[in-house]
Amino acid sequence: MADLLPLATLVGDAWEDYGLVDSGCGRKLERYGRYRFIRPEPQAMWQPALPQAEWDKADGEFVPASDEDGGGRWYYHRPVPAEGWPLGWREARFTASCTPFRHLGFFPDMAPVWDWLREQVAGKTDPAFLNLFGYTGVGSQALAAAGAAVTHVDASKKSVAQARENAALAGIAERPIRWIVDDAGKFAAREVRRGRRYDAILLDPPKFGRGPNGERWQIEEGLAPLLADCRHLLDADSRALFLTVYAVRMSALAIGELLAQLFADLPGKVECGELAVREEARGLLLPTAIFARWSRHD
């Protein structure tokens, strides 16, 4: 039976091409390769550690709209390549760019998640990995580099195309990665009917989204049935499932209990808690998301 363990914090540290430089007063200062950007961060309620002169060195800033619809725009203080610029994480390579959605084409706080999943499948012969809501594919690259056969699913044709380009940039275009444009829920349900199984699954769902055929995704409605299907895609020989949840009024304990119930018939443990990024200026931890994960005991 999968036991639910106490709340945990999974911390991401800086690496060569990314770092959380400073944070405070509802904003965060980050470096993405040679460029620095300021983005809104409501949870940074404290004062910044660095003087304003350091923040003034930012190449651009995303300023949110005055409403609650998540809009806003980028303002640039220095030239930034509109076509993006190359970055890397371990073996992965990808293009960063300033998107209209305030992020830069990947989610750096997922780095410890990618490391954890690689650890779970280490030593497994020909592990099969499913990346739902795979976006631009850095997580898919991370598992492919660890020897997994990856199924990458995203509802956005543009995102999957970018994921393929990123894989080519990393020199792994010939690795066994299936690139699929599909609604995550419908795809998972079909995989259950096909009798497919996986060794590890990553789910990084948005709060709201649309499938390629107009399918409506609302996390409060769709998460439980999607996780139930994911449970059927795993068995006692599988290794792990990792779920992240962003920007919703939901508790880590709630998704942890949901996962513990769904995985009650499998050996292993269920953990839940927060993802956080360690600030370079003073080591402060900035929370970014909640998570729940299942892993099998060895």
Side-chain angles (χ1 to χ4, degrees):
M1 178 178 180
D3 300 316
L4 179 61
L5 301 183
L7 288 171
T9 303
L10 191 58
V11 179
D13 289 306
W15 71 86
E16 182 179 359
D17 277 350
Y18 173 79
L20 172 62
V21 179
D22 193 14
S23 62
C25 295
R27 301 188 301 165
K28 56 186 175 183
L29 174 64
E30 300 166 291
R31 56 176 180 83
Y32 290 82
R34 60 178 291 190
Y35 300 101
R36 289 189 175 197
F37 299 98
I38 298 170
R39 296 193 292 156
E41 181 47 72
Q43 297 200 87
M45 296 179 284
W46 43 80
Q47 292 295 312
L50 299 178
Q52 184 61 41
E54 288 298 314
W55 287 69
D56 290 341
K57 294 177 182 178
D59 298 282
E61 178 174 2
F62 187 91
V63 178
S66 57
D67 55 34
E68 296 183 357
D69 293 334
R73 59 167 294 185
W74 287 96
Y75 292 87
Y76 299 104
H77 311 305
R78 295 168 191 83
V80 175
E83 70 278 8
W85 61 98
L87 296 181
W89 177 85
R90 308 229 190 280
E91 304 94 337
R93 297 293 180 270
F94 47 94
T95 298
S97 61
C98 297
T99 75
F101 311 105
R102 82 177 58 193
H103 57 75
L104 283 94
F106 76 107
F107 301 107
D109 58 327
M110 291 292 290
V113 178
W114 304 327
D115 270 333
W116 183 82
L117 285 167
R118 285 158 65 111
E119 292 170 3
Q120 302 311 304
V121 300
K124 182 83 172 178
T125 302
D126 299 324
F129 173 67
L130 175 60
N131 188 5
L132 293 173
F133 310 97
Y135 193 43
T136 56
V138 184
S140 295
Q141 284 192 48
L143 270 293
V150 177
T151 299
H152 174 106
V153 182
D154 197 280
S156 167
K157 184 177 181 180
K158 182 178 179 180
S159 292
V160 174
Q162 182 64 60
R164 295 179 71 117
E165 291 177 11
N166 285 338
L169 187 65
I172 63 168
E174 302 306 316
R175 294 283 179 89
I177 303 178
R178 289 199 297 161
W179 306 105
I180 296 174
V181 179
D182 203 349
D183 176 79
K186 287 188 173 180
F187 178 81
R190 285 198 302 273
E191 290 288 86
V192 172
R193 293 194 293 271
R194 293 169 183 144
R196 291 290 298 271
R197 66 166 298 280
Y198 291 90
D199 292 294
I201 299 176
L202 172 61
L203 302 95
D204 188 21
K207 178 180 179 180
F208 177 82
R210 293 284 185 184
N213 297 310
E215 300 93 341
R216 180 178 179 273
W217 166 264
Q218 187 75 37
I219 193 168
E220 292 87 353
E221 302 169 1
L223 184 59
L226 177 57
L227 282 173
D229 281 336
C230 287
R231 163 62 193 88
H232 290 297
L233 297 176
L234 299 166
D235 58 28
D237 292 324
S238 299
R239 296 298 179 88
L241 177 143
F242 202 108
L243 163 71
T244 59
V245 175
Y246 291 82
V248 296
R249 295 177 180 176
M250 197 176 290
S251 162
L253 285 173
I255 61 174
E257 289 290 355
L258 172 61
L259 207 61
Q261 287 190 17
L262 290 171
F263 283 66
D265 61 330
L266 284 184
K269 60 184 178 182
V270 172
E271 301 167 279
C272 62
E274 295 194 6
L275 293 183
V277 178
R278 193 185 313 278
E279 184 190 90
E280 292 180 310
R282 56 194 153 184
L284 177 153
L285 297 184
L286 176 66
T288 61
I290 58 175
F291 77 86
R293 65 185 182 186
W294 165 80
S295 58
R296 186 188 130 191
H297 287 306
D298 291 325

